[in-house]
């Protein structure tokens, strides 16, 4: 059951990648959306992304807990899905956005994200943060 819920949430994140591509188009990072832009915990974030990623998406992702009541393993699976789903959504955004693609998945073209660079290899910092947090959530709540 946890695996099914996990995959359902990931499917939602994949759909969200297509939606964000439609909303942002050639203006990645939501640079043309209305609203404020602030640094929060060292990350530049626009109002659109705040309301989407830190309010609306968590409400939907964690809604099974409202229906079932607190369940540690379910919470862990949902937390892992939320954290990994953000990474999967972002990567798919680059794959399906006709203005970007894998050739523009880098710090030169996606300036709205902070990147780790090791030689020629680059990865968005939030990918690393989310993957580490997902592993910790899995070990604490699901395993």
């Amino acid at each position: 059951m946890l695996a099914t819920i996990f995959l359902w949430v990931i499917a939602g994140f994949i759909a969200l990648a297509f939606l964000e591509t439609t909303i942002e188009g050639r203006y990645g990072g939501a640079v043309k959306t209305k609203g404020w832009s602030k640094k929060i915990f060292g990350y530049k974030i626009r109002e659109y992304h705040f309301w989407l990623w830190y309010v609306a998406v968590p409400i939907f992702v964690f809604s099974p807990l409202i229906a079932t009541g607190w369940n540690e393993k379910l919470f862990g699976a949902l937390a892992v899905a939320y954290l990994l789903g953000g990474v999967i959504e972002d990567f798919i955004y680059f794959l399906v956005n006709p203005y970007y693609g894998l050739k523009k998945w880098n710090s030169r073209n996606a300036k709205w994200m902070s990147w780790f660079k090791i030689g020629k290899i680059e990865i968005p910092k939030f990918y690393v943060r989310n993957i580490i947090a997902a592993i910790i959530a899995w070990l604490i709540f699901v395993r």
Side-chain angles (χ1 to χ4, degrees):
M1 178 67 144
L2 289 180
T4 302
I5 291 171
F6 175 85
L7 292 173
W8 182 257
V9 171
I10 296 301
F13 277 100
I14 292 169
L16 191 54
F18 285 87
L19 176 62
E20 276 210 295
T21 294
T22 301
I23 291 168
E24 294 181 9
R26 75 181 72 212
Y27 304 106
V31 297
K32 292 285 185 172
T33 57
K34 294 183 180 356
W36 49 257
S37 177
K38 297 179 182 181
K39 271 205 167 189
I40 300 175
F41 301 118
Y43 291 91
K44 186 175 181 182
I45 187 165
R46 299 196 178 276
E47 185 174 5
Y48 157 71
H49 282 135
F50 172 80
W51 288 108
L52 178 66
W53 289 106
Y54 299 105
V55 179
V57 170
I59 287 171
F60 286 110
V61 169
F62 291 99
S63 63
L65 292 170
I66 301 298
T68 64
W70 176 254
N71 178 305
E72 189 172 283
K73 288 193 182 296
L74 177 58
F75 172 78
L78 293 171
V80 171
Y82 174 70
L83 292 161
L84 295 182
V87 172
I88 292 166
E89 186 277 342
D90 185 77
F91 188 73
I92 290 176
Y93 168 92
F94 279 90
L95 293 179
V96 301
N97 189 326
Y99 300 101
Y100 286 93
L102 282 180
K103 289 185 179 183
K104 292 186 177 179
W105 186 70
N106 58 57
S107 62
R108 191 170 31 98
N109 295 109
K111 294 178 182 174
W112 61 88
M113 292 192 287
S114 297
W115 294 75
F116 280 120
K117 297 178 192 178
I118 302 169
K120 291 186 177 189
I121 297 172
E122 294 183 302
I123 187 165
K125 286 182 180 179
F126 92 87
Y127 283 28
V128 175
R129 179 200 68 209
N130 279 27
I131 291 168
I132 290 169
I135 291 167
I136 291 169
W138 176 267
L139 292 172
I140 292 172
F141 297 106
V142 182
R143 186 172 73 126

